[in-house]
Amino acid sequence: MGDADTDATEPADDSSAGSPPSPPAGRSWKWIGLFGGVGFLILLLDQITKALALAHLTPGEPVNVVGSLLKFNLIRNPGAAFSLGTGYTPYISAVQIIVAIGVVYLSRRLGSAGWAVAFGLLFGGAVGNIIDRIFREPSAFHGHVVDFLQTPHWAIFNVADMAVTSAAVLLVIQTLRGIKLDGTREQRR
């Protein structure tokens, strides 16, 4: 009954036990490593692409990459998605920091590749934008996020934003598939 997201040895359903069975030794480290690797990769890609955008793009001068389907258009976003909440940058920063800490805390329970990748995407994306909010102008915790990817009829975004959105989609998929954070499947009745 192996699944691509769980080890081939799924724990047996033992309803008489008081607590859920613990994952096999070493299993959680594998998923924590995947989580960390994905998170680090996203953070690295996000920071490199933002540095390149700042070095090569001029605000207000969009560059067509794939016709009008994809443009590079540099902006500095003081708010959240769609520039909402521009006066609440410190609060947005605090929420992102709490999310990042929560993801690290919950990562100890990872038992599935899907959850590990989703958590890595979420962590890398959140930290990528946290770095902007803390270290970029105009001041600490009021910094503007560097956005530079534009598609028709959508907000201008960055790699961190793509990662957070992808994480949300993966989390919904895992939930709909009935795969819990620890890799076990929900028993459907």
Side-chain angles (χ1 to χ4, degrees):
M1 306 229 167
D3 184 280
D5 275 339
T6 59
D7 283 345
T9 57
E10 284 189 55
D13 181 25
D14 185 6
S15 302
S16 63
S19 64
S22 60
R27 178 176 173 185
S28 64
W29 287 110
K30 175 171 75 173
W31 303 128
I32 290 171
L34 179 59
F35 153 69
V38 169
F40 178 74
L41 178 65
I42 292 300
L43 180 58
L44 187 65
L45 285 171
D46 179 63
Q47 294 302 302
I48 288 171
T49 56
K50 287 175 179 174
L52 289 169
L54 288 169
H56 298 289
L57 298 174
T58 304
E61 296 180 13
V63 176
N64 287 336
V65 179
V66 181
S68 63
L69 184 63
L70 176 64
K71 295 179 183 181
F72 290 154
N73 190 4
L74 180 63
I75 65 165
R76 293 173 185 262
N77 182 357
F82 301 98
S83 293
L84 297 173
T86 56
Y88 297 97
T89 303
Y91 303 107
I92 295 168
S93 301
V95 168
Q96 287 180 320
I97 291 169
I98 291 167
V99 166
I101 291 169
V103 167
V104 170
Y105 176 78
L106 290 173
S107 71
R108 302 172 305 133
R109 297 181 43 215
L110 289 170
S112 144
W115 281 95
V117 169
F119 271 32
L121 290 168
L122 182 58
F123 181 79
V127 172
N129 284 337
I130 289 168
I131 288 171
D132 285 9
R133 294 186 192 287
I134 293 174
F135 297 108
R136 295 202 189 273
E137 295 176 355
S139 64
F141 290 97
H142 292 85
H144 297 178
V145 173
V146 174
D147 289 332
F148 60 93
L149 298 167
Q150 183 176 16
T151 58
H153 315 295
W154 199 251
I156 301 173
F157 55 96
N158 59 41
V159 171
D161 299 333
M162 289 189 311
V164 170
T165 302
S166 298
V169 170
L170 274 175
L171 292 173
V172 168
I173 290 170
Q174 289 295 93
T175 302
L176 291 175
R177 292 179 63 208
I179 298 174
K180 296 180 185 178
L181 181 61
D182 65 1
T184 59
R185 284 194 175 273
E186 287 182 8
Q187 297 299 319
R188 296 202 172 125
R189 295 170 191 203

